[in-house]
Amino acid sequence: MAETIIKIDLNQSPYENENIHNRWHPDIPMAKMVKPGDDFILECHDWTGGQIKNDDCADDVRDVDLSQVHFLTGPVGVEGAEPGDLLVVDILDIGTFEESQWGFNGFFSKQNGGGFLTEHFPEAQKSIWDFNGMFTKSRHIPNVEFAGLIHPGLIGCLPSKDMLDEWNSREKELYDTEPDRVPGLANLPYADTAHMGKLSGDAKAKAAAEGARTVPPREHGGNCDIKDLSRGSQVYFPVYVKDAGLSVGDLHFSQGDGEITFCGAIEMAGWIHLRVNIIKGGMEKYGIKNPIFKPSPMAPKYDDYLIFEGISVDEQGKQHYLDVHVAYRQACLNAIEYLKKFGYTGAQAYALLGCAPVQGHISGVVDVPNACATLWLPTDIFDFDIKPGMDGPQHSVAGSTDVPLSKDK
């Protein structure tokens, strides 16, 4: 039985645990040390550190302090790892806590975080999902149930000082092009809510002022939100500091490609069982500057999809040049409008696309001026037929429930 080398208490603030951090910085001390070939278990808070509750009110999503996120378990040092190596991480298993068999999905208020479709869903909403073994369903979104593919939304190694400086410089440059934008173009260092693991005193204050926020993916991995990183996956992470400094968090019970609601998976607390090894000099040997991985062989088996296309013409009819972001937005909006014909509200449809095992594909990027993106919606997750038919859509969803909404203050 593998040892749980970092434990958490769901009734305790993550700020009270020195084996947790919420910024990236090379000076954060290793929480634990392991050797190549070791396997071990890490326990993880949900990404907000317990700010979201299992209830029917979205006030907590509206008022969430996003400057705190994400709370990560680690960093775990691997003996012998050096800059230029590849850290090989096998995800052996991952799961929920027995006492916490639920997760949440949310839309952030445009004034506090926003999201992929924030112009269409500008206020805070939340859905709760209950787990039943490998399956989940929500009291807020009827007539649907599906198998989860639990995965870490965020996993990666510590950056070097040079890499940290590069991140902060380029993101500040982008931010400064439109500093008053809501939501912002980037999340800059913010010391007030930084949790720097075992660092203390002046060293903590300095690192907190420099530490990179955990919101985006970067060269080291980070918040990539790749739903196929699950049991059986093998990930190859570039190493940028001595001992590598592997951290993980933001566990998801299930997620659609793109995590389109931003708080867009079924977020959960839980545990992950990992094994680590090192490929010496692997970055140069294989020409790697960003992680690569082998997907999980355990993906839920859905064979029948209804596929929605989107092109790079936005909601206002403006033509964009081969813009995949715009095209995928249109595919998502097309799917939402379609599901509304069966009785779902727009919010229910949006939440479902963020949570269910939806596939997103870049289908064409060469046919000027329009990129084409597609959203693949599995039909088997519904308890009624969603395919088009001669008799038109059957209004199968009762309109007695919706995703709870909290108005901006």
Side-chain angles (χ1 to χ4, degrees):
M1 185 69 113
E3 179 186 359
T4 300
I5 62 171
I6 298 179
K7 297 183 178 182
I8 66 167
D9 182 348
L10 293 180
N11 297 312
Q12 180 188 57
S13 167
Y15 285 104
E16 300 176 46
N17 190 331
E18 66 177 8
N19 297 320
I20 303 293
H21 64 102
N22 67 355
R23 301 290 192 268
W24 293 114
H25 197 283
D27 293 346
I28 297 174
M30 301 301 161
K32 300 289 180 180
M33 291 294 299
V34 298
K35 297 178 180 180
D38 284 354
D39 68 290
F40 50 88
I41 295 171
L42 304 174
E43 295 182 349
C44 302
H45 289 275
D46 81 81
W47 73 299
T48 73
Q51 294 186 61
I52 311 302
K53 306 304 179 186
N54 184 357
D55 59 27
D56 300 319
C57 176
D59 287 1
D60 48 8
V61 172
R62 180 194 63 198
D63 302 333
V64 66
D65 185 352
L66 291 176
S67 73
Q68 295 184 16
V69 299
H70 301 70
F71 289 102
L72 306 179
T73 300
V76 175
V78 182
E79 292 183 13
E82 298 173 306
D85 294 343
L86 288 178
L87 184 67
V88 184
V89 179
D90 290 287
I91 301 177
L92 302 179
D93 203 358
I94 186 169
T96 61
F97 291 127
E98 184 176 350
E99 69 273 23
S100 185
Q101 293 293 308
W102 67 280
F104 62 89
N105 171 267
F107 318 157
F108 293 129
S109 164
K110 183 180 178 181
Q111 304 303 315
N112 185 26
F116 189 55
L117 301 179
T118 194
E119 302 302 330
H120 298 268
F121 301 91
E123 295 185 297
Q125 296 189 252
K126 178 178 75 175
S127 60
I128 299 297
W129 295 79
D130 295 308
F131 307 151
N132 181 18
M134 66 183 291
F135 292 94
T136 187
K137 57 185 177 181
S138 171
R139 60 184 179 265
H140 299 128
I141 305 174
N143 301 92
V144 66
E145 183 177 25
F146 49 85
L149 183 62
I150 306 178
H151 60 278
L154 201 162
I155 183 169
C157 297
L158 292 180
S160 66
K161 184 61 166 62
D162 286 346
M163 175 163 284
L164 174 65
D165 291 344
E166 180 183 342
W167 292 351
N168 286 337
S169 175
R170 73 191 185 197
E171 291 171 24
K172 179 66 161 56
E173 182 179 358
L174 175 64
Y175 179 88
D176 286 345
T177 63
E178 197 176 347
D180 298 325
R181 185 181 187 274
V182 177
L185 288 172
N187 295 276
L188 303 181
Y190 182 69
D192 289 4
T193 54
H195 182 33
M196 308 304 289
K198 295 182 178 181
L199 276 179
S200 61
D202 291 343
K204 175 184 177 182
K206 181 177 183 298
E210 301 170 342
R213 303 285 290 280
T214 59
V215 175
R218 299 185 180 96
E219 289 88 341
H220 69 145
N223 193 26
C224 295
D225 294 309
I226 300 171
K227 73 178 188 336
D228 302 293
L229 282 181
S230 188
R231 298 177 181 92
S233 289
Q234 188 171 68
V235 196
Y236 303 84
F237 288 105
V239 174
Y240 296 103
V241 301
K242 181 180 181 297
D243 299 329
L246 177 69
S247 296
V248 61
D250 187 26
L251 302 188
H252 300 162
F253 189 86
S254 178
Q255 180 204 295
D257 280 340
E259 199 192 21
I260 62 173
T261 66
F262 183 22
C263 183
I266 301 177
E267 310 285 351
M268 56 169 268
W271 54 268
I272 185 167
H273 183 186
L274 303 174
R275 180 173 58 222
V276 294
N277 278 290
I278 299 170
I279 298 176
K280 300 302 294 181
M283 289 179 66
E284 182 177 354
K285 286 178 182 176
Y286 292 101
I288 290 175
K289 67 174 184 178
N290 296 79
I292 62 174
F293 74 97
K294 294 173 61 179
S296 169
M298 303 291 288
K301 187 67 174 176
Y302 291 107
D303 298 315
D304 188 63
Y305 292 87
L306 198 58
I307 300 172
F308 298 85
E309 294 187 19
I311 60 173
S312 50
V313 177
D314 67 23
E315 297 94 300
Q316 288 73 44
K318 180 180 177 181
Q319 180 73 63
H320 296 259
Y321 178 76
L322 298 181
D323 191 323
V324 176
H325 182 271
V326 172
Y328 195 55
R329 277 174 56 92
Q330 299 314 304
C332 293
L333 289 168
N334 290 341
I336 289 169
E337 287 303 310
Y338 184 89
L339 290 173
K340 286 165 64 176
K341 298 299 184 181
F342 293 87
Y344 286 115
T345 67
Q348 288 173 327
Y350 185 26
L352 182 57
L353 297 182
C355 295
V358 164
Q359 294 185 25
H361 293 252
I362 299 173
S363 300
V365 290
V366 296
D367 300 311
V368 298
N370 281 331
C372 178
T374 52
L375 181 145
W376 296 41
L377 179 63
T379 61
D380 294 343
I381 69 175
F382 299 92
D383 65 8
F384 60 94
D385 188 0
I386 67 164
K387 294 189 296 295
M390 296 298 293
D391 297 329
Q394 302 302 304
H395 203 77
S396 301
V397 179
S400 58
T401 186
D402 199 357
V403 178
L405 179 149
S406 289
K407 294 285 187 180
D408 290 336
K409 293 179 178 179

